[in-house]
């Protein structure tokens, strides 16, 4: 804490009038210097706020830079893993990768926002990475989604599970499966496939390598979210991807929804 105070005082002094800075060359003692700093901070409190804002901005820039570097190392696995379910336009020119948990309240909140954007746009590929981490039923729900995908009904199952109020359990998951008309015998058998468990473990390993600490986590081009996207992050990230594609001369994908 003392070091932080000294640092803030030094920053304030550097911003002080030249006469105050020059005082260091005229034999002022420590107490006199402290009085100058104290006086300046008292009369110019905004300099501390501006310095802290600047520091936070630099930290965020550094976080994004490091996150982008990690993403680039795993871009193919993030966007084109054949086992990972996809919603929206499979050939979309904007790829939204989401790490989520079916028991996550913010994931459910973002489901509505992202699904509406994907449907309205028509050119977005939405890659759904299960990251069950909240409860035991989170993994059961993740396996249910993958099993529904085997019958070509992932989108319907994902919608049903995301719209369940409160926590999930086996009864609610089976009810969702019956509601969308799944073959329940095949559904139960597919949920036990060892390759699906392996897939979830690979997702966990990938999340660890990307240093993902919470959900939902979105990756869109070079944008890496810090949890839910509560503002216009999705639209801004999509625009950035398309601007980059256009600059590189890449054609836009056809607007055909999955």
């Amino acid at each position: 804490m003392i070091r932080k105070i000294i640092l803030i005082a030094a920053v304030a002094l550097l911003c002080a009038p030249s006469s105050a800075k020059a005082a260091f060359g005229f034999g002022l003692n420590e107490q006199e210097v402290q009085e100058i700093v104290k006086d300046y901070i008292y009369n110019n409190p905004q300099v501390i706020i501006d310095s802290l804002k600047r520091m936070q901005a630099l930290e965020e820039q550094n976080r994004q830079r490091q996150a982008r570097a990690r993403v680039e190392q795993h871009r193919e696995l993030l966007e084109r893993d054949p086992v990972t379910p996809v919603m929206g336009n499979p050939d979309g020119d904007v790829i939204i990768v989401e790490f989520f948990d079916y028991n996550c309240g913010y994931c459910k909140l973002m489901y509505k926002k992202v699904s509406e954007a994907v449907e309205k746009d028509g050119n977005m590929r939405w890659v759904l990475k299960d990251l069950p981490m909240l409860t035991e039923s989170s993994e059961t729900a993740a396996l249910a989604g993958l099993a529904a995908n085997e019958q070509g009904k992932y989108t319907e199952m994902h919608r049903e599970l995301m719209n369940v109020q409160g926590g999930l359990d086996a009864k609610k998951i089976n009810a969702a499966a019956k509601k969308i008309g799944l073959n329940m015998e095949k559904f139960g058998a597919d949920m036990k496939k060892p390759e699906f468990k392996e897939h979830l473990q690979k997702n966990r390993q990938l999340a660890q390598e990307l240093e993902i600490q919470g959900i939902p986590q979105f990756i869109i081009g070079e944008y890496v979210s810090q949890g839910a996207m509560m503002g216009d992050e999705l639209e801004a990230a999509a625009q950035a991807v398309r601007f980059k594609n256009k600059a590189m001369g890449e054609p836009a994908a056809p607007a055909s929804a999955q």
Side-chain angles (χ1 to χ4, degrees):
M1 177 60 71
I2 293 176
R3 288 185 177 180
K4 287 184 178 180
I5 293 173
I6 293 173
L7 178 60
I8 291 173
V11 170
L13 189 60
L14 287 173
C15 299
S18 57
S19 59
K21 288 189 283 185
F24 278 104
F26 291 91
L28 290 180
N29 60 39
E30 184 177 346
Q31 184 177 352
E32 289 171 319
V33 172
Q34 288 176 349
E35 286 300 319
I36 292 172
V37 172
K38 180 180 177 182
D39 222 31
Y40 186 78
I41 292 175
Y42 181 81
N43 291 303
N44 301 273
Q46 188 61 40
V47 72
I48 302 299
I49 297 172
D50 292 343
S51 295
L52 292 174
K53 286 182 178 178
R54 174 62 176 162
M55 181 180 70
Q56 290 172 346
L58 290 174
E59 287 178 347
E60 175 59 17
Q61 289 175 13
N62 187 51
R63 185 195 73 82
Q64 281 283 339
R65 183 165 52 250
Q66 293 177 349
R68 287 196 296 268
R70 291 190 293 268
V71 165
E72 287 307 320
Q73 293 177 359
H74 302 283
R75 179 74 68 181
E76 187 68 20
L77 183 57
L78 281 166
E79 298 182 347
R80 301 293 175 183
D81 173 36
V83 183
T84 302
V86 172
M87 290 169 55
N89 184 345
D91 300 314
D93 63 338
V94 172
I95 301 176
I96 303 169
V97 179
E98 178 186 3
F99 285 86
F100 73 99
D101 183 313
Y102 280 112
N103 279 312
C104 164
Y106 279 105
C107 297
K108 293 185 178 187
L109 180 66
M110 288 307 303
Y111 166 73
K112 182 178 180 180
K113 181 173 183 176
V114 179
S115 60
E116 287 177 354
V118 169
E119 183 177 358
K120 180 179 178 181
D121 185 273
N123 256 350
M124 291 179 170
R125 173 186 174 90
W126 189 4
V127 181
L128 283 303
K129 292 279 187 186
D130 287 286
L131 189 59
M133 58 191 296
L134 296 179
T135 70
E136 185 177 340
S137 68
S138 295
E139 178 156 336
T140 304
L143 293 171
L146 294 171
N149 196 38
E150 291 291 282
Q151 297 187 43
K153 291 195 174 185
Y154 178 82
T155 298
E156 295 89 338
M157 188 63 166
H158 188 75
R159 180 186 64 239
E160 291 300 322
L161 295 180
M162 278 298 180
N163 285 329
V164 171
Q165 298 297 314
L168 287 165
D169 55 29
K171 184 177 180 180
K172 292 178 180 178
I173 292 169
N174 284 332
K178 291 176 181 177
K179 183 177 179 180
I180 65 173
L182 290 182
N183 179 319
M184 294 304 291
E185 183 177 350
K186 176 174 172 52
F187 174 68
D190 286 342
M191 282 186 65
K192 298 175 183 177
K193 285 185 174 181
E195 55 263 42
F196 287 166
K197 288 251 185 188
E198 292 172 9
H199 172 71
L200 296 182
Q201 187 54 38
K202 287 180 180 178
N203 281 357
R204 294 188 183 99
Q205 179 62 35
L206 179 58
Q208 184 175 357
E209 292 178 9
L210 292 171
E211 296 187 16
I212 292 174
Q213 299 178 355
I215 47 175
Q217 176 78 56
F218 293 92
I219 298 168
I220 308 170
E222 295 185 352
Y223 169 75
V224 181
S225 76
Q226 279 189 297
M229 300 182 292
M230 305 307 291
D232 62 352
E233 298 95 333
L234 173 56
E235 293 78 7
Q239 186 177 14
V241 168
R242 286 174 174 147
F243 181 82
K244 182 178 180 180
N245 289 346
K246 185 176 181 181
M248 295 175 64
E250 296 182 9
S256 60
Q258 180 176 315

